[in-house]
Structures are given as C-alpha cells and as structure tokens.
Amino acid sequence: MANTKKILLEHINVPGIETYEVYRQKGGYTGVEKALKKLTPDEVVEEVKKSGVRGRGGAGFPMGMKWSFLAKPEGVPRYLVCNADESEPGTFKDHYLMKCLPHLLIEGMIISSYALGANKSFIYVRGELMYVIRILEKAIEEAKAAGFLGKNILGTGYDLELVVQPGGGAYICGEETALLESLEGKRGNPRNKPPFPAVKGLYQCPTVVNNVESIATVSWIVNNGGEEYAKIGVGRSTGTKLISASGHIRKPGVYEIELGLPVDEFLNSDEYCGGIRDGHHLKAVVAGGSSVPILPAHLFMKTANGEGRLMSYESLSEGGFATGTMLGSGGFIAMDETTCIVRNTWNFSRFYHHESCGQCSPCREGTGWMEKVLHRIEHGHGNMRDIDLLVDVAKKIEGNTICPLGDAAAWPIASAIRHFRDEFEWHVTNPGAASKPGAVYQHLNEMSV
Amino acid sequence: MENIAPQLIKVTIDGKEVQVPAGTSILEAARMIGPEVAPPAMCYYKPLKGTGGKCRACLVKVTAGSEKDPRPMPKLVASCITQAQDGMKVENYSSPEVIEARKGVVEFLLINHPLDCPVCDQAGECHLQDFSFEHGTGGTRFEEDRRTFEREDIGDKIQLHMNRCILCYRCVYTADQITNKRVHGVMNRGDHSEISTYISNAIDNDFSGNMIDVCPVGALTDKTYRFKNRVWFSKPVDAHCDCEKCSGKVTLWYRGEEVIRVTARKNQWGEVEEFICNTCRYDRKKTSDWTIEGPMKVARHSVISANKYSNKLVEKPSFALKYAAQNYKEVDDDRPYDKNLSEIKKSEDYKALMAKNEEFFSK
C-alpha cells in the first residue's frame, strides 16, 4: 500500500532531521505556534478528543479522555510526564522515535503541557538508553535557544521547563504510578489505585502520564485537526501506529502502519515485514509485546469466525482471550516452525520473574514459581500435572495484583498452554528429546498459511 | 461543642448491614460488624498510614458498587484500600471466588516461607499461621527449592530471619512513621527482594523494638526473648508505668514468676494500640517496675488464647467450619451415604456411576 499515510515517520529519512534547523525546515514546531498563538488549552484537548487517538503504551486508553479526567484544583501545579521507559520485550518503537526524531517528541510535549496547563514536564527515559538521553537534552537546548522552551514561549506568556530523567533500570518503572514513585526518587513500586494519577500523581499533584508515541502524534493533530486524524484508521482505532517488528521475518524494523491494515499484508508485503524467512513458515505470533497472549498462526491470520484479521485494537482482540490477543504496545514478534514455544514461554516468564517488583504476593511469588515450573518442563523434568498447575497459578495471579504486571506475566503462559498444549505434553512425555538444544515439536496438523 | 454528625453510609457485607462514616474502607466496615465477616489482613495495619494493598489476603468481591452505580466491580478488590460507598454490597466468606483467590494467596505466601513453626518464636501468635489455618489448603504444590537468606542481626536487640519474611512492609512503615530516622528498607526486587539495613547498619533507635510487634510473622524477633519460651506457656498481664518516652501501657508475659518479655498491647486484630519505647521493652523486666492491671483479654482466635485464664479451649471459628461443611457437600454428590451398601447399590445413581466407570475403562 504505497499510499499509506505517514504521520510520525514522514521525514525519518531526511538527513539531519534530529537537528533543530532541518526539523524546522520540514515544518517542525508549526504545531506549537498554532496551539500557543491561536488555540486555548481546552481547544487543544478538544482536538485530541476528536481525534480519538488511543494511548500507545499498551492499554489503548483514549488519550483525550485521560486528559479530560485531569483534576484542576486552584493553586496546585499540574504535571505532564512522558513515559519513555519502554522495556517490553519485543517493543522498540519509542527508542527509535526518540533517537531519530527527538524534536517531534519535544514539540508534542510543549503542546501537551500547554493543553494541560503544566509548567514543568518530565520525560522519564529508560536508564539504559543514555545516548538517547543525550540526544534529547541536546534537542531541548536547541529548542530553548529557538525560544520554544523556557520563559514566555513565543511571547505568549506561557512558561515551560522540560526535564529529562534517566530511569532506574526496571521494567516496572514503566507502570505509570511506579514511574511517578521513581521520578520522586523513591523505590519504583506501583501505588494503590485509587487515587489515580489524574487526581494525585507526581508529588501528590494532578498528573498525566503518556507514552512517547502518543505525545508525538499531538503536533500533527493540532496542525491538521482532530477530525482529519480520526479519518485515518478503522472504527475506534484511529490514526497510525508504530509497530516494532522482530522475529523470523525478512525485514525486522519499526514500521508505521495505518490501523486497520490487514495482518496478511503487514506480514507478507515487501513494504513491511517482507514475509517469513525463506523455506520456513509462520508458527506463532506475539502481536503486541511479550505481555499479550501468544496466538498460533491460523488464529492470528484469521479470527475464529474465519474473517481476516486487521492490525487494529478491536480486530486483534476479537474472540477475547480464547482466540484473540491484543495490539498492546505494538511489539510484533513472528516465530517460524523452528521456535520451541515452551522455551519461548519460559524465556518470557524468566523476564517477568526478574522484573516483578516484589510488592504484592501473587506476583512476587507466582512469577518465580511459574518460571521454575517452566524451567523444569523445558529441561525434561516436568510431569503432566505441572501443566495444569501453571494454568491454575496463572489464573490466581491474573487480576489479583496491584498493577498489570501480574496479568502480563500470566497471560503469555496461559495462552501458550491454551494454544500449544500438545507441545508442553510432548516435552513431558519425551524429556530426552525435548531438552536437547534446538529440539522442536512438529505439529501433526499444522495449519499452513 | 460541634454537633455535626458524620455522614453515615450503609454497607452490606455477607448480607449483614452496617452504617459507617463516609471514607471508611471495606475492611474497617467489616471489622465493625465482627470477626465473622472481617477479611484477614497480613499487611494492612491501621495505626500505620499507607499500609495495605500488598498481601492481597483481604480480597473481596463487590457485587454492587454503590447506590448510584450498582454495577459490580470487574475484579476482586483489596478491601483494606477500597473505600466503601453508600449502598455497596460486598461478598467475603459467601463468595466461592474469594475463597478460591484467598487459597491462592495463602499458597503464594507459603511457597517461600520455611514452615519452621516448631522452632519459630512467633508460633502461636503468628498471623500467617492463623491465615493458612483458616483459609489455606492442607498441602502445597511447590516442589522447588525455597529462596534462602543468611540470618542477620540488625541492631543489638533484633534479629532478622529473612527466610520467614512475607514482605508486608509494615516494619518499613513503622520505622518511617514511629522513629525519626529510617535506616532499613527493601533491597532488590521480586521474590529475591529482602528487608535489610543497607550494608547492615544497626538500628539503634529508641522505638525500633516496635518493628518486632508489627511483624506478622517471625521474621523480626526479639533477641532477648529468642528460644526462651513458647507463647502458649506464658501468661500475659496488662501493666503500665510512668515512662517519659512513651505511654507506658504494655503487656507483660510471665513465665512462672519471671517477666519473660514486654510487648505493646494488641487489639483483637493483632494491631498495636500504643507503641512503646525500647526502655520499657528491654530494660524493665521486673514486676516491681510495673503497676499490674490484670490479666490480658486475649481476643484473637489462635493458639495464643489457649490455656490462658478460662477453660475454653481453642475453637476453629464457626464460620470456617460452616464453610467447610458447605464445601464438603458441594464436592460430594447428593447420594445418601447413611444407607447401607446393598441399598446404595440398588439406587439409580450408583448404576449410572458404574456405567460411567465401565465406559471409561473400556476406552
């Protein structure tokens, strides 16, 4: 589809786009000028509401609605925090966006802060990405020199200070309340909700936490209008989305797609993933980062009703968790038939075991337990009741934890067993063969795609 | 005199209605009704601000959110941090879903707990013991190695057994709110996180001993009391003294004529009423230091209340027994098992069962 609209990555290939001059030449910061000079903060919020853009961090909560929930008591500062602590396995879009287009994020931050009435905003960047932090800081200096940041921006009387904060190096700090704790200088433990950050967030003041990609879309929305943005995409999934494609595909990378693109086209067309590597075929797909349920190829390409799936929030979650998944943060991992699902599930569970914050008991103990059981099955020491045990433990973690990390740890395991139970059983019944490196169970009734 | 009555709201828990002031949590409302509906709590501690929400033992099901919005809540909620709303309907012991989730929580809390109750000082007054007795299952499905830590002395009076810790964070909040300087906290994350003083700083604050009292398990133990006694052999007595640092209201634990330890007074829910200073706790161990008020009323359902001042022995709470009976019925089918075998063999049910068996084995 050559006519796919590029909103975020329009100028990605322009040399020097990370500098202020080139970005400005390509029409950068016009959104700031328009918003600050012509629109009131409420009008900006209204435009974002009209656009129907949904949070790109994973949960897909409408951004305009989140903004309108922000409490506005008198005399209390409000904060905008950009969540750039992207650590979900399989997702690397924010990293790419910040590295290549730092000014797009800064422009979005200025407009969003103006809309929310925040005079100090934070970008909480994953601590491992030190070089990205330097890029952002350089870009902020450039924007300040050009008069887009600091006191009295463009003579409108609006002040904004932008602070880049390196993260503490934990996956859990990507959860919004844990992020706020970490930003305050405390241990990154998620808070109990309610109160939600919109009422009591950073330093107990009303706060909005948004993903990098969500904030980056704001300048386009302000420039072109929310209604124009809502025309892109399908149904309630409006606009474009960055997908970080990885795995056994010919062309891994970050792609901007219009929501509603058929998955078949995304996977197989040369413009995007370019199909599965030669001589192999698709076995399973993790559609939105490691936290979402894994789907076997036939259920990924077509829903249980036989309709072709689209890359959109609604279409991917069709069929619930029984036969569907989620778009999540757009971490698209394709696996061909050489992938051992048990090993892959174990690998994911190892990650969640390592990253659980240890605050609430189901997640703290359950993630470790599931990892140990999966390790046993993968290494040929499992037995049949371990499989049911995993399902039961996953069920007892899911929904009973403070933050969604418990769900994120339980879903991939529950779905892997739901769809690939025979593979787990093969590991139990053939411990010798299954525990060899690279051993993969061949499905007898494999669906070809 | 202000004569403004607090705004009262009506909450129904397990079919029992109670009127509570607005802003009360579900757990507090349930405690007002009584122990038969109060959810267990391992991390929530009323005297400490900000506790709760961590152990998930107090999960309840909200079947109607409020008068205005009677929709049920989609997930089980932690009752200690969820505010009750007017017209809210809550299911606690009457919901099988809650019972099942709580069984899970017991299992999770126990998988890395050493189960060394026979040598643990806390045994008999341990909240985890009570919790697993009332809500847990008989066995465990955990076959792997448990995480282990070295024992650590934090300060000269407290020993930390990290193996037993359930990470309720109560001691951290105590140090934050009772003492003027907190020197211990949680290190690392996940199931390898541990309570520790960074590079083993000693805790030598005047109120540090309260951490022993708030610990629901035997992770923080009094070094002057360790291995000297079992709780059920000692007789608690309420006493007070004039103390310049604290209220001086304590419980003395006698073994024979000897005061074997001094603790703060605890209420029915095992919560300290008034925190006491270390001088009272460690240095005043003679009867002559104290004014005796009389025997302590033990209100908790636990081994702790056994052999004390009445003949009443430990009883399993009646609601638990009731639930067990109900549950047993659900597991079994409706066949009358008081009949003799020949009669049973004639029944339709028996025949159906046998037919099912045959069908199964013929496969």
Side-chain angles (χ1 to χ4, degrees):
Chain A
M1 218 160 53
N3 56 356
T4 302
K5 210 151 190 148
K6 294 269 187 282
I7 287 179
L8 299 168
L9 306 185
E10 196 183 351
H11 303 300
I12 193 82
N13 293 326
V14 178
I17 191 73
E18 70 276 6
T19 61
Y20 172 77
E21 287 78 27
V22 180
Y23 183 71
R24 182 78 176 140
Q25 270 171 24
K26 290 288 170 189
Y29 289 103
T30 49
V32 176
E33 284 169 343
K34 188 179 173 192
L36 266 64
K37 286 184 174 161
K38 290 182 191 152
L39 302 174
T40 65
D42 287 344
E43 280 170 345
V44 179
V45 174
E46 203 48 45
E47 285 301 321
V48 172
K49 250 186 184 172
K50 266 190 237 162
S51 74
V53 59
R54 296 169 70 165
R56 303 300 195 213
F61 191 79
M63 192 172 162
M65 213 190 276
K66 197 175 194 174
W67 284 14
S68 60
F69 286 156
L70 184 71
K72 291 180 177 171
E74 282 294 314
V76 177
R78 299 188 282 274
Y79 294 109
L80 171 70
V81 179
C82 173
N83 184 349
D85 190 66
E86 177 186 56
S87 349
E88 177 106 346
T91 311
F92 41 86
K93 62 185 176 66
D94 295 345
H95 178 183
Y96 181 72
L97 197 67
M98 288 188 290
K99 178 179 80 175
C100 301
L101 296 160
H103 283 285
L104 188 66
L105 173 63
I106 289 161
E107 188 179 358
M109 283 297 284
I110 298 167
I111 301 169
S112 310
S113 304
Y114 171 71
L116 298 167
N119 294 105
K120 192 163 186 179
S121 298
F122 298 87
I123 306 177
Y124 185 94
V125 187
R126 185 178 177 191
E128 284 89 337
L129 307 180
M130 230 29 231
Y131 81 104
V132 173
I133 293 169
R134 288 194 193 105
I135 291 173
L136 283 172
E137 276 172 347
K138 189 165 162 262
I140 287 173
E141 284 306 312
E142 286 173 342
K144 215 175 235 173
F148 286 104
L149 275 174
K151 295 261 177 228
N152 196 9
I153 298 168
L154 304 176
T156 54
Y158 175 66
D159 307 335
L160 176 66
E161 194 185 340
L162 209 52
V163 179
V164 182
Q165 170 67 38
Y171 174 66
I172 191 65
C173 289
E175 202 272 344
E176 57 177 8
T177 53
L179 187 150
L180 297 177
E181 287 279 302
S182 173
L183 200 53
E184 287 178 12
K186 299 180 195 150
R187 183 184 158 86
N189 277 357
R191 293 178 187 166
N192 288 317
K193 281 159 274 182
F196 288 94
V199 183
K200 277 186 178 174
L202 189 63
Y203 305 115
Q204 299 296 305
C205 298
T207 307
V208 165
V209 184
N210 275 133
N211 179 257
V212 172
E213 193 190 342
S214 317
I215 289 178
T217 54
V218 173
S219 67
W220 195 93
I221 292 170
V222 167
N223 267 329
N224 299 283
E227 275 158 15
E228 201 60 32
Y229 190 85
K231 281 178 196 160
I232 311 165
V234 58
R236 285 177 57 231
S237 306
T238 58
T240 64
K241 171 101 186 76
L242 295 183
I243 304 283
S244 344
S246 62
H248 297 134
I249 46 176
R250 281 209 196 95
K251 288 165 61 191
V254 176
Y255 297 102
E256 181 168 13
I257 60 154
E258 188 177 335
L259 285 168
L261 182 81
V263 290
D264 184 44
E265 192 182 329
F266 179 69
L267 188 65
N268 293 322
S269 83
D270 281 336
E271 196 188 341
Y272 301 112
C273 299
I276 300 298
R277 61 182 178 161
D278 289 329
H280 295 280
H281 62 267
L282 188 68
K283 177 180 181 181
V285 170
V286 177
S290 66
S291 313
V292 308
I294 189 171
L295 277 189
H298 64 277
L299 277 176
F300 176 68
M301 304 307 280
K302 285 196 168 98
T303 63
N305 305 333
E307 295 161 21
R309 255 190 225 280
L310 311 173
M311 295 294 279
S312 73
Y313 289 96
E314 286 81 22
S315 177
L316 281 175
S317 56
E318 203 172 307
F321 277 1
T323 57
T325 178
M326 284 161 78
L327 182 58
S329 58
F332 182 92
I333 309 171
M335 301 169 198
D336 69 14
E337 82 289 349
T338 60
T339 314
C340 173
I341 296 295
V342 179
R343 196 174 180 83
N344 174 62
T345 313
W346 169 52
N347 194 24
F348 281 169
S349 76
R350 215 165 44 149
F351 173 78
Y352 289 110
H353 176 206
H354 185 251
E355 295 294 345
S356 165
C357 78
Q359 195 181 192
C360 60
S361 42
C363 173
R364 176 182 69 230
E365 309 292 355
T367 49
W369 191 3
M370 292 197 295
E371 197 242 307
K372 284 171 185 161
V373 173
L374 277 164
H375 178 273
R376 213 168 55 208
I377 295 175
E378 163 66 19
H379 291 86
H381 307 292
N383 55 41
M384 282 301 181
R385 69 170 184 272
D386 285 341
I387 301 170
D388 290 330
L389 174 71
L390 279 174
V391 175
D392 192 54
V393 173
K395 207 172 85 189
K396 279 179 173 155
I397 297 174
E398 188 190 332
N400 290 344
T401 52
I402 295 177
C403 77
L405 194 138
D407 300 343
W411 288 341
I413 294 172
S415 62
I417 295 176
R418 193 182 305 128
H419 298 302
F420 298 95
R421 198 184 177 100
D422 45 354
E423 196 159 331
F424 283 83
E425 285 172 358
W426 178 74
H427 271 257
V428 172
T429 49
N430 300 287
S435 56
K436 274 185 195 136
V440 177
Y441 170 68
Q442 300 301 321
H443 286 262
L444 293 173
N445 53 352
E446 207 147 36
M447 308 274 283
S448 59
V449 178
Chain B
M1 278 284 279
E2 277 187 54
N3 208 7
I4 306 162
Q7 198 194 346
L8 289 179
I9 53 171
K10 215 185 278 174
V11 192
T12 316
I13 300 164
D14 277 350
K16 288 183 180 161
E17 218 176 81
V18 67
Q19 288 204 327
V20 295
T24 313
S25 65
I26 298 175
L27 185 114
E28 284 299 326
R31 283 182 175 184
M32 285 180 196
I33 299 175
E36 68 274 17
V37 295
M42 300 301 293
C43 67
Y44 173 75
Y45 211 65
K46 201 186 174 189
L48 300 172
K49 256 186 216 160
T51 50
K54 292 177 172 58
C55 66
R56 319 308 280 181
C58 64
L59 290 173
V60 291
K61 190 177 170 68
V62 177
T63 48
S66 67
E67 191 77 49
K68 282 180 209 153
D69 181 14
R71 282 176 303 173
M73 291 193 184
K75 289 195 234 171
L76 300 181
V77 297
S79 59
C80 59
I81 49 164
T82 311
Q83 280 191 4
Q85 306 291 332
D86 196 18
M88 188 182 251
K89 286 200 175 74
V90 179
E91 283 184 4
N92 185 17
Y93 292 103
S94 55
S95 159
E97 203 183 324
V98 171
I99 303 280
E100 193 59 30
R102 217 166 268 166
K103 259 185 211 165
V105 173
V106 174
E107 199 169 20
F108 287 134
L109 286 177
L110 289 180
I111 61 171
N112 277 319
H113 192 80
L115 300 179
D116 56 353
C117 304
V119 296
C120 176
D121 277 320
Q122 189 85 0
E125 53 180 356
C126 175
H127 287 249
L128 187 59
Q129 234 177 1
D130 294 353
F131 181 43
S132 58
F133 177 63
E134 282 168 22
H135 301 280
T137 49
T140 179
R141 296 175 290 175
F142 186 72
E143 297 170 18
E144 282 76 17
D145 293 340
R146 292 159 202 270
R147 53 142 210 203
T148 49
F149 297 93
E150 289 290 312
R151 261 182 256 165
E152 199 182 333
D153 283 352
I154 52 173
D156 56 343
K157 296 283 174 23
I158 305 172
Q159 190 167 59
L160 170 68
H161 282 243
M162 195 49 220
N163 290 351
R164 295 175 186 157
C165 180
I166 57 164
L167 288 163
C168 67
Y169 286 60
R170 277 182 189 176
C171 58
V172 180
Y173 283 100
T174 309
D176 249 351
Q177 294 170 22
I178 308 298
T179 70
N180 46 16
K181 195 173 154 225
R182 171 160 75 89
V183 291
H184 81 295
V186 180
M187 317 279 143
N188 298 329
R189 61 178 180 229
D191 61 3
H192 29 274
S193 53
E194 56 173 315
I195 298 282
S196 179
T197 57
Y198 186 54
I199 336 186
S200 290
N201 277 337
I203 293 176
D204 53 358
N205 193 283
D206 248 357
F207 282 80
S208 62
N210 289 303
M211 294 192 315
I212 303 164
D213 279 351
V214 301
C215 185
V217 292
L220 291 167
T221 49
D222 186 342
K223 273 174 81 179
T224 62
Y225 174 71
R226 293 184 73 234
F227 304 136
K228 284 193 179 161
N229 187 34
R230 310 257 52 182
V231 172
W232 51 92
F233 292 142
S234 56
K235 295 207 191 297
V237 168
D238 282 349
H240 67 264
C241 75
D242 285 333
C243 179
E244 63 275 19
K245 286 185 203 151
C246 65
S247 68
K249 288 180 182 169
V250 299
T251 301
L252 305 179
W253 297 76
Y254 275 98
R255 176 148 187 190
E257 296 292 302
E258 190 193 353
V259 179
I260 199 146
R261 70 165 172 171
V262 183
T263 66
R265 288 187 201 171
K266 292 185 178 180
N267 65 9
Q268 187 182 1
W269 317 107
E271 288 171 353
V272 169
E273 283 163 354
E274 274 163 291
F275 292 101
I276 60 167
C277 66
N278 282 5
T279 321
C280 286
R281 185 183 302 272
Y282 299 122
D283 300 341
R284 295 188 175 140
K285 290 206 173 168
K286 275 184 284 179
T287 311
S288 57
D289 293 335
W290 300 97
T291 313
I292 308 288
E293 291 173 11
M296 176 183 124
K297 290 193 185 83
V298 183
R300 270 176 68 198
H301 286 290
S302 179
V303 192
I304 191 180
S305 47
N307 310 329
K308 286 288 162 355
Y309 295 99
S310 72
N311 292 328
K312 210 174 173 193
L313 290 170
V314 185
E315 263 185 278
K316 187 154 184 174
S318 58
F319 58 86
L321 282 178
K322 215 193 271 173
Y323 176 72
Q326 203 182 354
N327 216 26
Y328 183 70
K329 214 172 163 190
E330 274 167 22
V331 172
D332 210 280
D333 60 9
D334 285 338
R335 274 180 294 141
Y337 40 82
D338 51 350
K339 293 175 186 170
N340 59 36
L341 194 66
S342 58
E343 267 181 83
I344 289 172
K345 277 187 177 174
K346 279 178 206 160
S347 72
E348 284 299 314
D349 280 344
Y350 182 81
K351 280 173 194 162
L353 193 69
M354 284 297 118
K356 231 183 225 175
N357 265 355
E358 255 176 37
E359 194 187 345
F360 180 76
F361 284 116
S362 62
K363 269 180 190 173

